[in-house]
Amino acid sequence: MTPGACFVSARLRVLLFAFVAIMGTAVRAQEPPGSAMQGRTRRIELTSEPPATLPEISIQPGIASLLLFDTPLASDGVELEGKERFRRVVVGEDTVALMPSEALREGERLHLTVRFAADAMPGEAHFLLVVVPAQADTQVEVLRVQRTSGPAQSEATELTEELQRLREENARLRAERAPSNLLDAITAPWMRNRGIAAEQFKRPLPRVMGADLELDDALCFRAASRVAVKLTVKFSRSERPWSMGSAALIGPDGHRLHIVQVWQSKSTAGGAAEVLLVVEAEASGSRPLGPHTLELWEAGGDRTLRLGSVLFPDL
């Protein structure tokens, strides 16, 4: 075992929880007033089939992340890219605790491979650790979903297909309720007498992280008390269908704007030619807004799209 990592028995698993709790408390005590670091608890389900994209786990320097597995890990079964840039890597019988150091920079993506001791599939799991500003997955529960057979498998397949149909129907209904005339905008209470300022992203366009897609166009809008981001994207045919569930706009100081609504023009199934993704948020005042990071969260999934350097025009 390399320095900085150790394997502990199930009896000492409680120490891992204490490690996360103590380190999390220490970091929060050092945070300046007004900081907005968001800790999340998540669940990731693994199947016997390899995923189209690796599950992402958000990490933050100085914030501990605890990974809980539902089956024992193999001895020396954890491989972490850039392990020397973590303060601590503690491996338990079915638990991995990570403490990133300040050597990690925003946007870095590191591979984590975990092998299991049991013979059930999958025998190993792969993850991407992503350094995300003001956000960390402090507890991640990883479950291996076993493939069923016979009537149970048939029922599960039908439920999956029905869920996908409902997601596509939801995307269609969202498209139908999109504003269709100028009257909707000029009579809105948030418009006031300042109108709407728009600014197009400068080319070359930045890369959207988190899925296999191309960003064709990007516009930012600002009104008296609202801002919005409109993305025109093309998903790869190899990418699983993706549906937007929620979003976040995170400022340079970690402050998160209140999201009013999100909208997606149509389903991404089959690599749709163009898909519009729109996020609207509250932003009162006329002061300049610094660069924001946009996160788009998948509905019912764990894929998160990220776009940095989002700049809103001045009024």
Side-chain angles (χ1 to χ4, degrees), residues 109-132:
R109 303 164 71 85
L110 305 173
H111 285 83
L112 171 67
T113 299
V114 176
R115 288 184 289 274
F116 301 106
D119 294 332
M121 296 298 289
E124 62 181 25
H126 303 270
F127 307 91
L128 272 181
L129 305 181
V130 184
V131 183
V132 180

Side-chain angles (χ1 to χ4, degrees), residues 22-293:
I22 293 173
M23 294 306 297
T25 302
V27 169
R28 284 192 294 271
Q30 297 172 6
E31 290 178 347
S35 61
M37 205 294 296
Q38 299 290 325
R40 296 192 304 178
T41 298
R42 294 180 52 215
R43 171 178 293 187
I44 296 176
E45 294 185 350
L46 306 175
T47 65
S48 57
E49 299 178 356
T53 58
L54 295 183
E56 294 185 359
I57 298 175
S58 299
I59 61 174
Q60 181 76 197
I63 303 296
S65 293
L66 182 65
L67 280 62
L68 307 174
F69 298 89
D70 64 348
T71 192
L73 306 179
S75 178
D76 294 327
V78 176
E79 296 181 6
L80 174 60
E81 180 184 1
K83 181 185 293 185
E84 67 279 359
R85 293 190 290 167
F86 285 73
R87 293 182 188 172
R88 293 288 181 90
V89 178
V90 183
V91 180
E93 183 179 1
D94 56 1
T95 312
V96 176
L98 305 172
M99 174 61 72
S101 74
E102 301 298 331
L104 294 173
R105 295 292 179 261
E106 176 184 334
E108 286 196 68
R109 303 164 71 85
L110 305 173
H111 285 83
L112 171 67
T113 299
V114 176
R115 288 184 289 274
F116 301 106
D119 294 332
M121 296 298 289
E124 62 181 25
H126 303 270
F127 307 91
L128 272 181
L129 305 181
V130 184
V131 183
V132 180
Q135 180 176 293
D137 292 330
T138 53
Q139 181 173 311
V140 180
E141 185 178 1
V142 182
L143 305 177
R144 295 196 304 174
V145 180
Q146 302 301 320
R147 178 179 290 277
T148 57
S149 59
Q153 174 63 28
S154 178
E155 182 179 353
T157 301
E158 292 177 0
L159 288 174
T160 300
E161 293 175 350
E162 177 65 12
L163 178 59
Q164 181 58 35
R165 187 191 67 78
L166 291 174
R167 286 176 178 169
E168 293 176 359
E169 178 68 8
N170 183 44
R172 184 186 66 79
L173 292 174
R174 284 183 173 181
E176 289 179 352
R177 69 178 178 86
S180 58
N181 54 63
L182 185 60
L183 182 63
D184 292 337
I186 64 177
T187 58
W190 44 261
M191 173 68 78
R192 301 178 189 170
N193 60 351
R194 297 183 181 178
I196 299 177
E199 186 170 316
Q200 194 168 29
F201 272 49
K202 294 180 180 179
R203 295 183 182 273
L205 295 174
R207 181 183 175 188
V208 178
M209 309 298 292
D212 187 4
L213 59 83
E214 292 183 5
L215 178 62
D216 281 355
D217 195 18
L219 284 165
C220 291
F221 303 87
R222 188 174 183 183
S225 60
R226 295 287 174 88
V227 295
V229 183
K230 173 187 173 184
L231 306 180
T232 303
V233 299
K234 290 180 181 177
F235 281 78
S236 168
R237 291 184 178 275
S238 63
E239 186 72 35
R240 288 179 293 134
W242 185 91
S243 179
M244 180 162 53
S246 187
L249 275 167
I250 308 168
D253 57 354
H255 175 70
R256 293 175 175 241
L257 300 182
H258 174 69
I259 302 300
V260 176
Q261 62 178 331
V262 297
W263 179 78
Q264 180 173 335
S265 62
K266 55 186 173 183
S267 169
T268 67
E274 283 190 348
V275 178
L276 302 183
L277 305 175
V278 180
V279 176
E280 180 182 354
E282 293 180 352
S284 59
S286 58
R287 63 182 179 83
L289 296 176
H292 281 63
T293 296

